[in-house]
Amino acid sequence: DIVMTQSPDSLAESLGERATINCKSSQSVLYSFNNKNYLAWYQQKPGQPPKLLIYWASTRESGVPDRFSGSGSGTDFTLTISSLQAEDVAVYYCQQYYGTPFTFGPGTKVDIK
Amino acid sequence: EVQLVESGGGLVQPGRSLRLSCTASGFTFGDYAMSWVRQAPGKGLEWVGFIRSKAYGGTTQYAASVEGRFTISRDDSKSIAYLQVNSLKTEDTAVYYCTKEGYGSGSYSSDWGQGTLVTVSS
C-alpha cells in the first residue's frame, strides 16, 4: 500500500498570510505513461463532507478560489493557501489514486492565529 | 448540480448486515465510477472501495479491511450505488460517504454526499 504522510499536523496563521501543507507518498504517484501525478487535495470543514480542491496534483477544481494551489511531483506535494481567509478553517487531506487502495493522508488542521 | 444522497445507516449489532444506498442526480450516472469513503468519529478519511462504470468493465476494488465483507454494486437504470456491509464489527462504526469519481474508473472524488452514520454496537 502507498502510505501518505502530511506535515504539519496543524498550523495557525494570521488572516492574509500564506499557509503551506506538505504531503509525501511512500512511492511515486507519477504515471510515466501520461506524465500525471495521481494526487488530490480535499478540504473538510467541521460537520461537512470533504470537498475536492485539487486533482492531478495541480489542477484546481471548478469554483475553487485561486488562492488555493497545488504543486509537486513524484513523492512530494504541497498545497498552498496564498492568503488565508476565515472560511479556510478546515482539515485538509491529500489522497493518492495511483494504485488501490487509494490512501489518504492523516490530515492537517488549519486555523486562524 | 450533482447531488448524492446516502441512506440506510443506523444502529446495528455486531455481526449483522446493512445495505447503504446512494441516490444520484445531476449527471449521467452510468458514465462515472462511484466510490465509498468512511470516517470514524473524530478520525480521518478511509477509502472503502469503488465500482467502475460499465464502459470500464463495472468491476470493483476494495480496501483490505473490508474485502470479503463489503460489496459495492450499482443500478444505472435507477442512478443508485449500493454498499452491502456484512459481518459488521464495532470498528466499522463511521460516517459512510458516497462519492462520484472523476471519470469511469477509480480516481479522485469530485463530489461527495452528506454521509450516513453506521453505528455498530451491542
Side-chain angles (χ1 to χ4, degrees):
Chain A
D1 296 3
I2 299 176
V3 177
M4 307 299 291
T5 55
Q6 290 182 230
S7 62
D9 295 335
S10 64
L11 66 87
E13 296 291 352
S14 301
L15 289 172
E17 293 298 304
R18 177 185 298 264
T20 300
I21 301 169
N22 300 300
C23 172
K24 190 175 182 68
S25 57
S26 61
Q27 66 187 74
S28 177
V29 298
L30 173 63
Y31 194 18
S32 56
F33 167 74
N34 56 12
N35 201 37
K36 286 180 179 286
N37 287 282
Y38 284 57
L39 190 285
W41 289 96
Y42 302 90
Q43 174 195 64
Q44 187 176 31
K45 297 181 180 179
Q48 296 185 19
K51 172 188 172 184
L52 176 67
L53 296 177
I54 303 283
Y55 56 99
W56 302 128
S58 61
T59 301
R60 196 180 304 114
E61 172 72 328
S62 175
V64 173
D66 60 8
R67 64 179 180 274
F68 291 92
S69 63
S71 62
S73 185
T75 61
D76 293 278
F77 301 91
T78 299
L79 175 71
T80 301
I81 309 173
S82 61
S83 176
L84 193 62
Q85 304 300 305
E87 60 265 33
D88 301 335
V89 169
V91 179
Y92 293 82
Y93 296 93
C94 60
Q95 180 204 26
Q96 65 79 22
Y97 49 98
Y98 179 89
T100 57
F102 293 168
T103 41
F104 290 90
T108 294
K109 186 175 182 181
V110 173
D111 224 328
I112 305 296
K113 190 185 293 182
Chain B
E1 179 196 3
V2 172
Q3 284 200 319
L4 301 170
V5 179
E6 301 94 337
S7 59
L11 174 63
V12 61
Q13 293 178 326
R16 303 298 291 264
S17 300
L18 277 179
R19 188 176 78 161
L20 308 183
S21 299
C22 170
T23 303
S25 61
F27 65 101
T28 304
F29 183 80
D31 287 350
Y32 292 88
M34 299 296 294
S35 78
W36 291 89
V37 175
R38 67 183 181 181
Q39 187 169 36
K43 302 297 184 183
L45 302 171
E46 181 186 12
W47 179 82
V48 171
F50 70 81
I51 184 166
R52 295 179 175 88
S53 69
K54 292 289 193 297
Y56 280 76
T59 51
T60 53
Q61 297 280 353
Y62 299 98
S65 58
V66 307
E67 180 94 56
R69 297 190 300 123
F70 289 14
T71 303
I72 299 173
S73 59
R74 63 190 298 155
D75 185 335
D76 290 352
S77 68
K78 296 181 179 178
S79 296
I80 300 178
Y82 299 101
L83 177 64
Q84 178 70 40
V85 296
N86 298 331
S87 304
L88 280 162
K89 306 175 182 181
T90 55
E91 53 263 41
D92 295 320
T93 293
V95 173
Y96 285 73
Y97 294 104
C98 165
T99 86
K100 167 185 169 287
E101 300 294 85
Y103 48 93
S105 189
S107 67
Y108 53 89
S109 292
S110 61
D111 298 87
W112 297 64
Q114 289 296 313
T116 187
L117 175 63
V118 173
T119 303
V120 185
S121 174
S122 54

